[in-house]
């Protein structure tokens, strides 16, 4: 429900506008590198009119409609490179980087000296962590525009980032002490004492001299953060280590039973939007014995209060380990954190060792959660897929399903995750792409049956038949996933078996979308709640991205 409404949203498949632009039309008459097709003057004029409408939609931040109108213009005049380049830009705003790369490439085929098309394609390669191709395209822009100092700066920043990532890979191969062990050593050696000038909320201290968390501390911490203040490094480490103790013991697939009288709220991407998270918690309520919270990944990056968001989640996990759950998202990963801001923010606020600690603890986050209502459905529907015990249960994962059908819940439960980044090995990363091998954390649903390439340029897309087969095999009533903006905060698709929930309203201060969360009760009934964005202090998204790349990726 909206925060001014007293009733939840109706759970219909029309609850949200389509999340993406239409796929690129098949170029039956114009193939890459072939001659231009004949286009009438009337179609050229019609395309120009559609382009103007698309530009207006883009200016209004209506990116899906802009992409649709650019597509209609391309159908009228596929020879015009600016239409392809503009649609690429709209798709970049929708995070459809794979589609955008294809569109920019077509613009370049039509006009090999089109600097803006190289620039947009290079930006997409950067967003999908293909740094070498990004560097190549930025160099092409500079060959065409030698005096473009902005692109020169961005090229240098991308080269620096690429060298840094390659260096870190080499260091990892050589072996580095576990950051958890190293932080504990530093604490034992007296190298991370509490700053005596600190005047904020205080952790309790036991008779043995160990810190322990209380609800009063968490409430005080939230108010401290709200006022723009940071915790001392020692408290940051204690919170992260406190949460780590619980994450490390959990399996890669966590089972959460929902007893009679208990509810569980599933929260989608938050992406460092701390002030929206505070508003969201005012709607959901805090975790307690009768009300669980499950945050479904992508707590960090893009938004510029990612530290505050992740510390809040980890503090609740330390305080309420049986009522607070956190899944890993594709942004709880080193390569994404280096590109999208969390690494820069963590180091700026709390230092290099703190970032290393966060990065390692991210690898301990479970990959998925199985929510298991304990009571039979109030009304059994003909299409219900139930567990062997005749109950509904829901598979909650950040991305989605796999590149093959036969994966079972037990397979997921056994995935070795601790210390591993996505893209190394196993089911966590079951589909090969140039930059990584990814599945659970990256895949997206599609309307067409079967599997196909992702519009992102990373991962795969899975159709309604794939979802139904997997749910039937595993006795799962539905999949709840996040990973994608939905204009109304959520969308039900795949004949009701797949729901996307996204909880970062007005994403990166641009998208104009609502946020949402899903509530599940002990009978497996679901309610859908929507909320609007909340004002925040004047700090732009991705403010901590290094080398000026943040402003480029926000363009």
């Amino acid at each position: 429900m909206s925060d001014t409404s007293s009733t939840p949203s109706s759970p219909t498949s029309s609850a949200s506008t389509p999340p993406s632009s239409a796929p690129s039309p098949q170029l039956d008459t114009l193939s890459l590198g072939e001659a231009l097709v004949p286009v009438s003057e009337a179609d050229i004029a019609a395309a120009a009119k559609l382009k103007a409408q698309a530009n207006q939609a883009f200016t209004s931040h209506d990116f899906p409609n802009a992409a649709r109108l650019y597509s209609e213009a391309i159908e009228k005049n596929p020879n015009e490179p600016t239409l392809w380049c503009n649609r690429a830009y709209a798709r970049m705003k929708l995070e459809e980087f794979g589609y955008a790369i294809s569109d920019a490439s077509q613009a370049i085929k039509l006009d090999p000296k089109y600097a803006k098309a190289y620039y947009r394609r290079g930006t997409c390669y950067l967003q999908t962590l293909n740094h070498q191709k990004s560097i190549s395209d930025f160099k092409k822009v500079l060959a065409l525009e030698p005096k473009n100092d902005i692109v020169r700066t961005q090229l240098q920043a991308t080269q620096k980032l690429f060298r840094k990532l390659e260096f870190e890979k080499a260091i990892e191969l050589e072996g580095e002490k576990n950051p958890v062990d190293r932080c504990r050593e530093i604490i034992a050696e007296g190298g991370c004492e509490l700053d005596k000038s600190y005047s904020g909320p205080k952790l309790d201290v036991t008779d043995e001299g160990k810190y322990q968390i209380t609800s009063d501390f968490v409430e005080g911490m939230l108010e401290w953060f709200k006022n723009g203040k940071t915790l001392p490094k020692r408290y940051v480490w204690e919170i992260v280590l406190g949460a780590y103790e619980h994450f490390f013991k959990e399996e890669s697939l966590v089972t959460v039973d929902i007893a009679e009288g208990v509810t569980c709220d599933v929260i989608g991407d938050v992406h460092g939007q701390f002030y929206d998270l505070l508003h969201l918690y005012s709607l959901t309520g805090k975790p307690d014995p009768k009300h669980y919270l499950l945050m479904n990944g992508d707590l960090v990056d893009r938004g510029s209060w990612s530290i505050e968001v992740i510390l809040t989640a980890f503090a609740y996990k330390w305080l309420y380990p049986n009522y607070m759950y956190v899944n890993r998202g594709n942004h709880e990963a080193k390569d994404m954190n280096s590109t999208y801001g969390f690494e820069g923010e963590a180091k700026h606020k709390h230092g290099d060792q703190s970032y290393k600690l966060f990065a390692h603890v991210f690898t301990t986050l479970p990959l998925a959660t199985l929510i298991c209502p304990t009571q039979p459905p109030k009304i059994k529907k003909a299409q219900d897929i139930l567990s062997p015990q005749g109950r509904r249960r829901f598979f909650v994962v950040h991305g989605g399903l796999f590149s093959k059908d036969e994966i079972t819940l037990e397979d997921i439960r056994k995935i070795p995750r601790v210390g591993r980044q996505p893209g190394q090995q196993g089911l966590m990363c079951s589909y090969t792409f140039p930059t990584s091998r990814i599945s659970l954390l990256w895949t997206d649903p599609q309307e067409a049956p079967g599997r196909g390439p992702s519009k992102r340029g990373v991962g795969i897309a899975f159709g309604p038949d794939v979802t139904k087969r997997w749910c039937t095999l595993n006795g799962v009533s539905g999949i709840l996933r996040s990973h994608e903006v939905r204009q109304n905060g959520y969308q039900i698709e795949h004949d009701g078996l797949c729901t996307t929930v996204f909880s970062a309203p007005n994403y990166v201060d641009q998208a104009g979308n609502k946020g949402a969360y899903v509530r599940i009760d002990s009978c497996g009934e679901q309610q859908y709640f929507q909320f609007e964005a909340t004002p925040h202090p004047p700090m732009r998204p991705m403010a901590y991205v290094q080398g000026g790349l943040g402003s480029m990726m926000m363009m």
Side-chain angles (χ1 to χ4, degrees):
M1 63 183 175
S2 70
D3 34 45
T4 58
S5 173
S6 59
T7 56
S9 301
S10 174
T12 64
S13 59
S14 60
S16 183
T17 55
S20 64
S21 58
S24 299
Q26 296 297 315
L27 302 179
D28 296 327
T29 56
L30 176 65
S31 298
L32 296 183
E34 293 185 0
L36 302 181
V37 297
V39 178
S40 69
E41 291 297 325
D43 280 345
I44 290 173
K49 184 176 180 180
L50 287 164
K51 177 185 176 183
Q53 294 172 7
N55 290 347
Q56 185 173 0
F58 188 97
T59 302
S60 301
H61 290 188
D62 185 359
F63 304 124
N65 198 37
R68 178 185 63 80
L69 289 165
Y70 286 131
S71 296
E72 292 179 12
I74 287 169
E75 290 175 1
K76 296 289 185 182
N77 184 11
N79 300 338
E80 176 52 55
T82 60
L83 296 176
W84 296 92
C85 192
N86 284 10
R87 188 172 71 175
Y89 198 14
R91 286 174 158 176
M92 288 166 65
K93 294 295 188 181
L94 293 165
E95 298 190 356
E96 298 174 353
F97 302 118
Y99 286 173
I101 287 169
S102 177
D103 283 351
S105 297
Q106 178 62 21
I108 290 165
K109 287 286 185 181
L110 292 167
D111 182 359
K113 294 185 177 181
Y114 197 172
K116 186 177 289 186
Y118 285 112
Y119 180 74
R120 287 182 177 161
R121 189 173 70 177
T123 303
C124 289
Y125 282 136
L126 177 61
Q127 299 260 20
T128 55
L129 311 182
N130 198 330
H131 301 99
Q132 289 176 300
K133 287 188 176 181
S134 177
I135 288 167
S136 177
D137 274 349
F138 291 157
K139 285 181 176 179
K140 288 173 182 175
V141 175
L142 288 175
L144 294 167
E145 299 180 356
K147 296 183 179 181
N148 193 325
D149 291 334
I150 293 176
V151 175
R152 190 178 307 281
T153 299
Q154 291 166 347
L155 168 62
Q156 292 168 350
T158 305
Q159 290 172 320
K160 181 179 179 181
L161 175 61
F162 178 63
R163 289 193 297 268
K164 171 181 171 293
L165 292 172
E166 292 300 301
F167 175 75
E168 288 176 349
K169 288 178 185 176
I171 292 295
E172 286 179 1
L173 290 174
E174 292 176 7
E176 187 177 16
K177 180 167 284 190
N178 181 316
V180 168
D181 295 338
R182 181 59 188 139
C183 287
R184 285 173 172 163
E185 282 182 0
I186 294 171
I187 290 171
E189 294 165 358
C192 190
E193 294 299 308
L194 185 65
D195 186 347
K196 293 181 180 179
S197 66
Y198 171 65
S199 60
K202 301 290 179 64
L203 289 168
D204 282 1
V205 183
T206 67
D207 293 339
E208 295 78 26
K210 293 184 177 180
Y211 285 109
Q212 63 182 15
I213 195 167
T214 63
S215 59
D216 285 345
F217 172 82
V218 176
E219 292 302 313
M221 181 187 73
L222 294 180
E223 193 64 28
W224 189 254
F225 286 161
K226 187 176 178 181
N227 292 329
K229 299 177 181 180
T230 59
L231 290 179
K233 184 190 298 184
R234 178 60 182 272
Y235 277 9
V236 170
W237 289 12
E238 292 291 343
I239 291 169
V240 178
L241 291 171
Y244 163 82
E245 289 297 328
H246 300 293
F247 291 133
F248 185 80
K249 296 173 185 175
E250 292 176 333
E251 296 178 302
S252 290
L253 174 64
V254 174
T255 298
V256 177
D257 292 326
I258 308 298
E260 189 171 7
V262 175
T263 57
C264 179
D265 287 351
V266 179
I267 296 168
D269 301 38
V270 175
H271 276 300
Q273 297 184 195
F274 175 69
Y275 293 87
D276 290 316
L277 179 68
L278 289 178
H279 179 49
L280 171 59
Y281 282 169
S282 75
L283 301 174
T284 63
K286 307 297 167 51
D288 65 39
K290 291 292 185 180
H291 182 63
Y292 305 163
L293 296 182
L294 167 55
M295 301 193 73
N296 195 27
D298 280 13
L299 285 74
V300 302
D301 280 340
R302 295 196 178 274
S304 294
W305 293 275
S306 291
I307 283 289
E308 288 77 7
V309 167
I310 197 67
L311 286 176
T312 299
F314 281 8
Y316 277 130
K317 184 64 180 180
W318 186 16
L319 180 62
Y320 302 124
N322 296 320
Y323 317 136
M324 180 70 178
Y325 299 91
V326 183
N327 283 343
R328 189 177 186 181
N330 65 300
H331 277 267
E332 279 75 47
K334 280 186 176 180
D335 51 4
M336 301 298 282
N337 297 159
S338 293
T339 302
Y340 288 93
F342 179 70
E343 178 180 352
E345 181 181 347
K347 289 180 176 180
H348 174 81
K349 292 179 178 178
H350 301 294
D352 287 7
Q353 188 61 39
S354 297
Y355 171 66
K356 291 178 181 180
L357 179 62
F358 277 112
H360 181 75
V361 174
F362 285 166
T363 73
T364 70
L365 298 180
L367 303 178
T369 300
L370 189 66
I371 296 180
C372 298
T374 58
Q375 305 302 305
K378 292 177 181 177
I379 302 176
K380 188 177 183 304
K381 302 173 185 176
Q383 69 271 26
D384 267 346
I385 300 173
L386 302 179
S387 72
Q389 294 75 34
R391 306 290 188 263
R392 289 182 182 144
R393 58 182 182 177
F394 302 92
F395 181 68
V396 186
V397 65
H398 182 72
L401 296 181
F402 313 91
S403 57
K404 53 184 180 180
D405 282 343
E406 60 269 22
I407 305 303
T408 67
L409 295 172
E410 194 59 27
D411 291 330
I412 300 165
R413 199 181 309 277
K414 293 178 179 178
I415 295 173
R417 71 189 190 278
V418 177
R420 301 188 180 191
Q421 297 295 325
Q424 292 177 5
Q425 55 189 335
L427 292 180
M428 188 163 88
C429 25
S430 68
Y431 199 85
T432 302
F433 273 84
T435 54
S436 56
R437 301 169 65 209
I438 301 163
S439 184
L440 276 167
L441 307 185
W442 274 94
T443 53
D444 296 308
Q446 64 180 20
E447 293 182 6
R451 295 176 174 88
S454 169
K455 57 183 175 282
R456 297 174 186 270
V458 180
I460 62 167
F462 59 96
D465 56 329
V466 174
T467 301
K468 186 172 183 179
R469 286 196 301 271
W470 188 86
C471 288
T472 301
L473 172 67
N474 287 283
V476 167
S477 307
I479 298 165
L480 277 76
R481 43 90 60 181
S482 301
H483 195 40
E484 291 183 279
V485 179
R486 294 298 193 251
Q487 285 305 112
N488 284 335
Y490 74 99
Q491 184 177 14
I492 304 169
E493 46 202 317
H494 289 189
D495 301 316
L497 290 177
C498 182
T499 298
T500 297
V501 57
F502 193 83
S503 304
N506 194 27
Y507 180 46
V508 293
D509 291 349
Q510 289 189 0
N513 60 292
K514 293 180 181 179
Y517 60 97
V518 182
R519 179 166 293 171
I520 301 172
D521 69 14
S522 62
C523 295
E525 296 295 320
Q526 299 177 70
Q527 291 180 295
Y528 304 83
F529 298 83
Q530 299 165 291
F531 62 100
E532 301 284 353
T534 297
H536 61 72
M539 180 177 287
R540 60 183 173 80
M542 294 195 282
Y544 296 97
V545 173
Q546 301 168 40
L549 295 177
S551 58
M552 178 183 70
M553 292 190 289
M554 287 295 296
M555 291 176 65

